[in-house]
Amino acid sequence: MAEPQGCCSCCTGFIISLGLSALFLWLSLKPSKPTLSIEEFYVPALNKTAANDTKSDIITFTLKLNNKANKDKGVYYDALNVTLYHTQNLSNPVANVTIIPFYQGFKKHTSRKINVTASKAMPWSTALNEVSNGTVFRVDLKTKLRYKIILFKTKRHSIMVGGNITVTDQGSMVKPKKKGVKLSCGSVQVGRFAQVGGLVGFVLIFLWF
């Protein structure tokens, strides 16, 4: 009579091992979204200490893309579409720029320095009046990316992030705690392979209990 009990114990052990294996596999394959931030932002036309002949409508900023959270997953970026707004007029962008696609290896970070000319939608008079107390710009970024995991690539995932940049009367950005401004308030779609793996792991663990 002890034989069925031994078989049941063997099946239970197999289910537990399979469930834990599925869970660990899912955790190891699930990618972390890269961190995007604005490290520098300079508007010479708002620098009240600069000579007039050095001022222009050009806005300069540096975008940092950090993939250090992924120890073994590279990132293929599609074209990155960056839009700048002044917060007094969020319906009309003051500048648009597109960064060409590129690949970023795992545990890597890279920066892109961008110079863009502000459009006629830029409310210069308003910005100059309020810049002594800090005038605010909005940076929005949209792109799609794929993760490289070992020898294969995932499907494309949409990413939409943004952040507010406060500019002083010297034309430069205010950095929180001397760091860049992280672009957030967006979402990255999780790949189906990760969703399925997590579901399988959850079901098997549920059967265990």
Side-chain angles (χ1 to χ4, degrees):
M1 297 297 293
E3 186 174 340
Q5 188 175 11
C7 181
C8 182
S9 177
C10 181
C11 290
T12 301
F14 174 75
I15 291 174
I16 293 174
S17 298
L18 189 60
L20 292 175
S21 298
L23 177 61
F24 291 141
L25 179 63
W26 173 62
L27 291 174
S28 64
L29 292 179
K30 183 181 178 181
S32 299
K33 64 180 181 180
T35 301
L36 283 67
S37 60
I38 301 297
E39 298 299 314
E40 301 290 342
F41 196 96
Y42 180 61
V43 187
L46 299 180
N47 186 351
K48 292 186 174 182
T49 64
N52 290 331
D53 58 358
T54 64
K55 297 181 179 181
S56 69
D57 293 347
I58 294 177
I59 298 174
T60 300
F61 63 96
T62 301
L63 172 68
K64 183 177 179 180
L65 304 99
N66 194 332
N67 189 39
K68 287 192 173 182
N70 287 310
K71 296 182 179 180
D72 53 6
K73 303 172 186 68
V75 179
Y76 287 95
Y77 294 93
D78 284 1
L80 295 98
N81 299 307
V82 184
T83 306
L84 304 184
Y85 301 88
H86 189 269
T87 53
Q88 291 293 330
N89 187 5
L90 290 174
S91 59
N92 293 316
V94 299
N96 293 281
V97 64
T98 299
I99 302 172
I100 62 174
F102 68 95
Y103 172 74
Q104 184 176 46
F106 57 88
K107 296 183 69 176
K108 300 292 184 180
H109 66 82
T110 187
S111 297
R112 294 289 187 270
K113 187 173 182 179
I114 301 165
N115 296 313
V116 62
T117 301
S119 70
K120 294 181 180 180
M122 176 63 198
W124 289 114
S125 58
T126 300
L128 282 168
N129 287 333
E130 65 184 21
V131 73
S132 296
N133 295 318
T135 189
V136 182
F137 289 80
R138 173 76 185 178
V139 180
D140 284 340
L141 183 149
K142 295 181 181 180
T143 189
K144 291 184 178 180
L145 54 83
R146 292 175 293 166
Y147 295 100
K148 180 182 179 182
I149 304 176
I150 307 175
L151 298 178
F152 65 91
K153 302 175 186 176
T154 68
K155 70 170 187 176
R156 282 178 167 82
H157 312 293
S158 297
I159 180 171
M160 295 179 291
V161 293
N164 291 335
I165 308 294
T166 301
V167 175
T168 70
D169 57 4
Q170 293 184 344
S172 57
M173 66 180 283
V174 177
K175 289 187 176 183
K177 297 181 180 180
K178 297 183 179 181
K179 295 181 179 180
V181 175
K182 182 179 178 181
L183 302 182
S184 57
C185 301
S187 63
V188 174
Q189 298 174 357
V190 180
R192 291 181 181 177
F193 76 93
Q195 294 175 343
V196 172
L199 180 60
V200 170
F202 176 80
V203 170
L204 291 175
I205 292 175
F206 176 79
L207 291 175
W208 170 26
F209 286 103

